[in-house]
Amino acid sequence: MLNRRAMLRVGGAGMLGMSMPKLIRAAEQTRQIKPKAKSVIFLFQWGGPSQLDTFDMKPNAPAAVRSPYRPIASSADGIEVCELLPNMAKQMHHVSLIRTMTHKMKNHASAGYYALSGHEPPSDDQRLRDSLDLFPAYGSVVDHLLPSDSSMPSFVSYPHVIRDGSIVPGQHASFLGKGHDPLLFLEDPNDKNFQLPELSLPDGLSIDRLHRRREMQQLVDRQMRLMEHSGEARGFDQYYERAISMLTSDNVRKAFDLSAEPTTVREAYGRTSYGQSCLLARRLVESGVKFVTVYFSNSIGGRRVGQGGWDTHGFDNTRMYKIVDKYQMPLTDQTLPTLIDDLHQRGLLEETLVVWMGEFGRTPEINKNVSRDHWPQCYTALLAGGGVKGGYVHGKSDERAKFPLEKAVKPEDLAATMYQLLGIDPNTEIYDRDNRPLIIGGRPLYDVIA
């Protein structure tokens, strides 16, 4: 809620023709919130987890709606979670749940882009194609507005490029230019020989020789005036400079060296691609990376045990409740609470915002395949650390978790909250290819901020 003092500060603006929504937004800008988050770990649950089977259970709903799993108490008073998440239940005192995420995109590609960029797509179309006209990823905006001042990259994403037929937009810098693309790698952090080829020099090429090559290239660039005439050339130049910086940095190599972790820690996260990806995320923020995106899976999944994401319709004669209890839920209950607790034990949780969410939720009504379909109208996002309240629920869904009853939240509002916590004004404008100003976020969720 806005206080009286904030409204009085901008009260005179009404005489200048400002509408009430603009007055409220102006009043919100007067809030002085000291940023607490230095980094964000964005755990993207591709495919769309069910709100009714995780963090917004409705045990009193009709049998055709309620989960076959029971809710259990958690470490946060009044907050229950699914019985398949007993380890996560012990960490809920660190968590803010947003139970009223909502939008209208029912297709994975459009909803995925919305979730990864915080900007509504031009259409709800499964054929939505990646384009420089679409908005950049969160991490690219962070790299553009709050770049790292060290050899560490600002934005890292892995271990997949997600797609549903075609590549989902919102995974790179788009019109901001290649210089703000993530350090993207597809190597499996769970591989016993995991290392990034990007951090290794070819045989016979020394660091000194690499620098001499770079100096020669810069001379040619200056002579041809490439830097004045080509935005694309500038982007590649920044990309090249970043690559050299990483190749010559001991800090970067050490951050990616998972073999340095004790076996007990690696086992705690789980010897899976996703588990080791979450462990690597902790190492990266510990080393100064500002935004880390970890993709749960490369595919929407939901058809078999042991692979894929959360898209559990009941295709190919499968059943949601014979898959998620054996794969998605156990994997989540091992990695997510371990990451939160590890950050807390290391004194990193207060400055690291963890976001766990998919592109939408699942239908309240269980379908004929004893599964659930896409449902963007109401779903849950989980936030922990980074300046958010612990043991808190923002918003209230109806008795079937079908629609928000109180405090509906759109993806652009969640984006604004992340930016606010990082110390970036959500009203900041960036410019697209046609030099049009675009605001990076919606309205921050001040009630969620501690």
Side-chain angles (χ1 to χ4, degrees), residues 77-142:
D77 289 343
I79 297 180
E80 295 182 327
V81 302
C82 178
E83 64 180 326
L84 298 181
L85 301 172
N87 293 317
M88 191 60 223
K90 299 173 184 177
Q91 298 297 324
M92 295 304 292
H93 59 288
H94 292 303
V95 165
S96 275
L97 291 177
I98 303 172
R99 287 179 171 164
T100 51
M101 294 296 301
T102 184
H103 61 79
K104 299 178 181 178
M105 304 296 138
K106 295 182 180 180
N107 288 290
H108 289 289
S110 299
Y113 164 68
Y114 204 172
L116 292 169
S117 69
H119 280 257
E120 188 172 4
S123 63
D124 185 13
D125 188 349
Q126 190 54 32
R127 297 168 297 178
L128 183 69
R129 296 292 183 264
D130 199 4
S131 164
L132 292 180
D133 293 321
L134 296 177
F135 214 78
Y138 299 125
S140 294
V141 175
V142 171

Side-chain angles (χ1 to χ4, degrees), residues 190-441:
N190 192 41
D191 191 303
K192 65 179 181 179
N193 297 316
F194 170 70
Q195 62 178 353
L196 298 190
E198 292 88 342
L199 303 182
S200 303
L201 288 172
D203 291 340
L205 181 61
S206 67
I207 291 294
D208 288 343
R209 187 179 174 192
L210 185 68
H211 279 301
R212 289 196 297 273
R213 284 187 177 184
R214 181 56 180 152
E215 289 169 0
M216 184 176 293
Q217 183 192 21
Q218 288 174 330
L219 175 62
V220 173
D221 287 346
R222 286 195 296 270
Q223 290 174 337
M224 297 180 66
R225 299 182 181 274
L226 284 178
M227 308 315 288
E228 286 84 11
H229 296 292
S230 172
E232 184 177 2
R234 287 195 298 272
F236 275 107
D237 189 74
Q238 293 168 357
Y239 205 79
Y240 195 96
E241 292 287 358
R242 186 176 68 181
I244 290 181
S245 178
M246 289 190 296
L247 282 168
T248 58
S249 169
D250 287 337
N251 289 337
V252 174
R253 282 193 293 274
K254 288 177 181 177
F256 281 92
D257 183 11
L258 280 171
S259 67
E261 289 288 334
T263 300
T264 53
V265 174
R266 300 198 70 175
E267 295 293 335
Y269 276 86
R271 294 309 297 255
T272 62
S273 176
Y274 183 63
Q276 297 304 293
S277 291
C278 288
L279 171 56
L280 180 59
R282 187 268 287 163
R283 291 181 62 85
L284 292 176
V285 299
E286 197 170 27
S287 299
V289 176
K290 294 191 174 182
F291 205 100
V292 180
T293 299
V294 177
Y295 297 107
F296 183 83
S297 172
N298 65 334
S299 73
I300 53 176
R303 299 189 184 212
R304 59 184 60 87
V305 174
Q307 65 181 64
W310 294 84
D311 194 38
T312 47
H313 291 275
F315 288 135
D316 300 336
N317 200 34
T318 62
R319 298 290 181 266
M320 173 180 178
Y321 299 107
K322 293 184 178 181
I323 292 177
V324 295
D325 64 328
K326 297 177 181 63
Y327 182 60
Q328 288 91 342
M329 299 287 264
L331 192 55
T332 298
D333 195 48
Q334 180 164 21
T335 55
L336 182 57
T338 299
L339 173 63
I340 292 172
D341 186 55
D342 194 13
L343 289 168
H344 174 64
Q345 296 298 327
R346 292 170 179 269
L348 294 170
L349 188 59
E350 288 189 2
E351 62 187 42
T352 305
L353 176 65
V354 178
V355 180
W356 182 97
M357 63 178 290
E359 68 270 34
F360 42 49
R362 313 305 296 185
T363 51
E365 291 75 21
I366 296 173
N367 65 26
K368 63 182 180 180
N369 295 322
V370 197
S371 304
R372 299 187 192 269
D373 301 311
H374 302 176
W375 193 254
Q377 286 90 334
C378 188
Y379 61 106
T380 299
L382 180 150
L383 281 63
V388 304
K389 294 175 181 176
Y392 180 73
V393 175
H394 180 88
K396 181 180 179 181
S397 61
D398 64 19
E399 67 278 2
R400 299 187 178 202
K402 192 169 189 176
F403 299 106
L405 280 182
E406 302 172 2
K407 300 180 180 178
V409 176
K410 300 185 75 173
E412 46 264 55
D413 301 326
L414 180 59
T417 305
M418 289 193 292
Y419 293 136
Q420 183 80 57
L421 289 166
L422 283 166
I424 299 173
D425 184 353
N427 296 307
T428 301
E429 295 176 342
I430 58 177
Y431 293 85
D432 67 8
R433 291 199 298 169
D434 297 320
N435 208 34
R436 294 176 299 183
L438 300 173
I439 294 176
I440 61 172

Side-chain angles (χ1 to χ4, degrees), residues 139 141-150 152-154 180 288 290 424:
V141 175
V142 171
D143 183 56
H144 176 62
L145 298 175
L146 197 68
S148 174
D149 56 3
S150 69
M152 296 300 297
S154 296
H180 301 294
K290 294 191 174 182
I424 299 173

